[in-house]
Amino acid sequence: MLARLASGEAIAEGTWLIADRQVSGRGRQGRSWLDAPGNFMGSTVVRLSPQDPPAASLSFAVALAVYETILAVLGRPAGVFLKWPNDVLIAGAKFCGILLEREGDYAVVGIGVNLARAPDIADRTTRSLAQSGPAPDRDAFAHALARQFDLELSRWRQFGLGPMLTRWMAAAHPVGSQLSVHDAGGARVSGRFEGLAADGALQLRLADGQLRVIHAGDVELEGN
């Protein structure tokens, strides 16, 4: 969708592109995203306007859409929680990926979910939804996610960022969780989770008591 928008093609908000196979999927910081039969790989577009909350905060709406869809599909399984900024985990394991990219007045939202199978990744624990129950049907999951995303997008626009961050916090790992953050330059800082700033930035309490505000970075739960 990003290439289509860049070429000048008009794509209506609410349009979804669902892939059966993916040969060049990617995640944050240039990581590859591996496909597998029965998994969900889709993207949609959001038309941004000056009246919307900050575009970067859309990631919280996307994460909540995936989170709520998972709870509905699996019947509220234990151990599902959010990790900043838009990871959804089951028992600490990664089972989905969310990537937002901008093209002019559009945000392209890419989502991958391990419904049936999870790839083996050397540096992290992965999981599929099939390990928590019967694998959801890909097309049924796509319809459920699209409906929930429409709802979260409406809430984001109507009520603003504050209520969304409150909901995000209620679904996230608890305040006080030990985290480590790797920034784009590779530097690593550790501390305890102190919640979110008003703009959605991560607040990290360092060992010396200093409060560090993180606007971008790759977060890991220490001891996970």
Side-chain angles (χ1 to χ4, degrees):
M1 280 193 174
L2 199 66
R4 291 167 60 183
L5 288 170
S7 71
E9 181 179 347
I11 302 177
E13 183 173 285
T15 300
W16 282 81
L17 178 64
I18 311 300
D20 291 324
R21 293 299 309 274
Q22 200 172 36
V23 296
S24 58
R26 65 187 188 279
R28 289 200 306 271
Q29 298 186 355
R31 295 190 183 97
S32 61
W33 182 264
L34 303 177
D35 68 348
N39 285 353
F40 173 84
M41 296 157 286
S43 59
T44 188
V45 296
V46 175
R47 180 70 181 268
L48 302 171
S49 77
Q51 292 74 41
D52 289 336
S57 68
L58 183 60
S59 64
F60 295 103
V62 182
L64 283 166
V66 175
Y67 174 82
E68 295 290 355
T69 303
I70 296 306
L71 294 187
V73 167
L74 294 184
R76 307 193 71 82
V80 181
F81 63 91
L82 299 176
K83 176 170 70 71
W84 190 88
N86 57 15
D87 278 332
V88 190
L89 306 180
I90 296 181
K94 187 176 181 67
F95 71 93
C96 72
I98 295 170
L99 180 66
L100 278 72
E101 299 176 281
R102 183 155 183 176
E103 178 60 43
D105 292 333
Y106 291 90
V108 178
V109 179
I111 302 172
V113 183
N114 299 330
L115 300 180
R117 296 172 55 193
D120 293 324
I121 301 177
D123 64 343
R124 62 190 57 207
T125 304
T126 61
R127 187 182 180 99
S128 71
L129 297 193
Q131 293 173 262
S132 299
D137 174 77
R138 195 279 306 269
D139 291 345
F141 179 86
H143 285 294
L145 178 59
R147 288 193 299 269
Q148 189 66 40
F149 180 69
D150 284 348
L151 176 59
E152 299 299 347
L153 186 61
S154 176
R155 288 169 170 167
W156 177 71
R157 285 174 168 152
Q158 182 176 357
F159 302 115
L161 186 54
M164 184 150 287
L165 294 182
T166 298
R167 290 179 58 219
W168 190 97
M169 283 289 299
H173 48 74
V175 169
S177 299
Q178 189 72 26
L179 306 178
S180 61
V181 182
H182 300 258
D183 64 22
R188 179 178 179 271
V189 60
S190 296
R192 296 195 176 276
F193 179 52
E194 284 285 336
L196 303 178
D199 64 354
L202 175 71
Q203 298 184 129
L204 199 65
R205 182 71 65 183
L206 307 185
D208 63 2
Q210 177 186 354
L211 184 66
R212 178 75 63 84
V213 179
I214 308 291
H215 293 278
D218 199 19
V219 175
E220 295 180 5
L221 281 164
E222 293 191 354
N224 184 42

